[in-house]
Amino acid sequence: MSEYIPSPMDWVAKQVELYEGSGGTAGLTLRDTGLPVIIVTNRGWKTGAIRKTPVMRVADGRNYILVASKGGAPEHPVWYHNLKADPNVEIRDKTELYQMRVREVDDPAERQRLWTLAVEAFPPYQDYQAKTDRVIPVFVAEPVE
Ligand code: F42
């Protein structure tokens, strides 16, 4: 079993603690937005440690869309590199746990469709994209059968 290393960002670590500690019955939304969050459990690409990353819940059928926005920061979040290195993740959506595999969406038409879904679910993604020169990466997480 690998070690779990909590996020160095206090508010993020606290959300994970509440969400996971309650079995997915508390800490389910982003701050005061009331908008739902999922928890992505993945592996650190250098340390091999278990990482837990909350992202906004964007559903597309049984798939989830993960948007590596980091609030419109100039660089990708570290978890982007972790998911590129090891695409096998576990996703918690409230009380449900899913084994999933992620892939970055490169096809422009597919990305556009999923980006539209993401902005519908969480409108600030549009402001984050306007704030940064990088193209914000979009992943799709698909169930492992
Ligand atoms: N972030 C998003 O990008 N999109 C969202 O939709 C989103 C929603 C959201 C909702 C609730 C919430 O609480 C947080 C939310 N966040 C969202 C923030 C998200 O959870 C991340 O905190 C944020 O994107 C920053 O990700 P990050 O991976 O860059 O985190 C940094 C602060 C971090 O944890 N850094 C670690 C550290 O110790 O500095 C690195 C951890 C790591 O993965 N290390 C790797 C390893 O091998 O273990 C190697 C690192 C290397 O050197 O490359």
Side-chain angles (χ1 to χ4, degrees), residues 69-122:
S69 56
K70 199 182 176 185
E75 71 291 334
H76 294 339
V78 176
W79 63 264
Y80 168 83
H81 304 285
N82 292 336
L83 295 198
K84 292 296 280 185
D86 183 351
N88 298 298
V89 300
E90 184 176 80
I91 289 186
R92 174 181 282 281
D93 184 358
K94 297 187 183 161
T95 57
E96 302 291 329
L97 282 174
Y98 303 101
Q99 302 305 317
M100 297 202 141
R101 192 163 296 131
V102 302
R103 63 180 169 85
E104 185 175 4
V105 178
D106 298 317
D107 177 69
E110 186 185 17
R111 188 185 178 284
Q112 187 53 52
R113 185 181 79 78
L114 300 180
W115 179 258
T116 301
L117 283 181
V119 170
E120 274 168 21
F122 187 62

Side-chain angles (χ1 to χ4, degrees), residues 38-49:
I38 57 174
I39 308 282
V40 181
T41 299
N42 63 278
R43 214 167 267 283
W45 73 283
K46 281 187 194 160
T47 58

Side-chain angles (χ1 to χ4, degrees), residues 5-9 11-13 15-16 29-31 35-39 42-58 65-72 75-82 122 125 128 134 136:
I5 307 182
S7 170
M9 288 158 79
W11 69 276
V12 175
Q15 172 142 42
V16 171
T29 59
L30 174 66
R31 296 192 187 120
L35 294 172
V37 168
I38 57 174
I39 308 282
N42 63 278
R43 214 167 267 283
W45 73 283
K46 281 187 194 160
T47 58
I50 303 291
R51 303 284 183 180
K52 289 182 183 281
T53 307
V55 293
M56 301 316 294
R57 179 184 186 281
V58 184
I65 311 309
L66 315 180
V67 179
S69 56
K70 199 182 176 185
E75 71 291 334
H76 294 339
V78 176
W79 63 264
Y80 168 83
H81 304 285
N82 292 336
F122 187 62
Y125 281 144
Y128 297 165
R134 70 188 170 98
I136 292 180

